[in-house]
Amino acid sequence: MKLNQKWIFSFALFLGFSYLMQWQGAALKNSMTPMGIVHLEFAQTEVLFEKIIGIWEIEMLYWNLALDFLYIPIYTYFFQITLSIFIQRHRSKMVQQIGVLLKNATILALFCDLAENTGMIISLSGTHIPIIYILTSWLAGLKFSILGFCLIYILVSIPTLFFRTKSA
């Protein structure tokens, strides 16, 4: 499969699963948690964690976590393919190196998300260890930071598709 075909496949999968996550996660959104499960990811104390899950249907939360475990490799694959395309398009070695760094960082984001979800499951199982809430929150922050920088790199790189190509 060519790179462009892989990208189209990854983009379609990413968009479809993003929609599925939003649709299924809508049950977790309310006035206290307008961003749904993201609020639980950043709950740094048992009190806040319990307050959030107390207003949700726990079955919906478990479904959202299960779907998220499937979503993690999907968004990672999409970012890996997309960053690969833009890395090739830049003339500047420094900008290419930043892209490679971000591409590699998506693997760190994947592991952060897996560990973060595991932390939430441990907490949901009734094991209340304060450091788990803090680690889960920090891992979520690191994951979102990495993905945010990847998104910025991609958005800033879009003009290279039309105006700049790497010289042969």
Side-chain angles (χ1 to χ4, degrees):
M1 192 182 295
K2 290 184 191 176
L3 185 61
N4 288 343
Q5 291 171 325
K6 286 181 183 179
W7 183 83
I8 291 168
F9 173 75
S10 74
F11 185 62
L13 200 56
F14 174 71
L15 281 181
F17 226 86
S18 295
Y19 176 78
L20 176 62
M21 291 294 294
Q22 288 299 310
W23 174 77
Q24 192 282 329
L28 305 176
K29 295 178 182 180
N30 57 50
S31 60
M32 184 179 158
T33 57
M35 294 182 65
I37 199 165
V38 173
H39 288 277
L40 191 63
E41 292 172 355
F42 284 104
Q44 289 193 359
T45 65
E46 178 184 349
V47 171
L48 183 55
F49 188 90
E50 292 295 326
K51 186 176 181 181
I52 291 170
I53 64 169
I55 60 173
W56 287 346
E57 287 184 42
I58 204 75
E59 186 176 307
M60 289 298 172
L61 174 57
Y62 281 118
W63 272 108
N64 195 262
L65 282 168
L67 288 172
D68 194 36
F69 276 109
L70 297 173
Y71 186 51
I72 294 167
I74 290 170
Y75 75 68
T76 302
Y77 181 66
F78 167 74
F79 277 109
Q80 290 263 309
I81 295 288
T82 305
L83 289 166
S84 292
I85 290 169
F86 286 118
I87 290 166
Q88 294 174 13
R89 302 288 297 180
H90 284 286
R91 290 182 184 169
S92 165
K93 289 287 183 201
M94 184 181 78
V95 176
Q96 288 174 351
Q97 289 172 339
I98 291 169
V100 170
L101 176 70
L102 290 170
K103 182 180 172 189
N104 292 333
T106 61
I107 301 301
L108 176 59
L110 176 143
F111 285 111
C112 286
D113 207 351
L114 291 173
E116 161 201 318
N117 284 357
T118 302
M120 287 189 291
I121 289 168
I122 290 169
S123 297
L124 285 166
S125 74
T127 305
H128 300 290
I129 303 170
I131 193 69
I132 290 179
Y133 301 108
I134 293 167
L135 285 174
T136 299
S137 177
W138 289 355
L139 290 167
L142 180 56
K143 170 195 72 178
F144 283 121
S145 295
I146 291 168
L147 297 178
F149 283 118
C150 290
L151 189 59
I152 290 168
Y153 183 90
I154 290 166
L155 292 173
V156 168
S157 297
I158 288 174
T160 66
L161 294 174
F162 304 104
F163 301 112
R164 300 189 79 185
T165 59
K166 186 178 174 190
S167 55

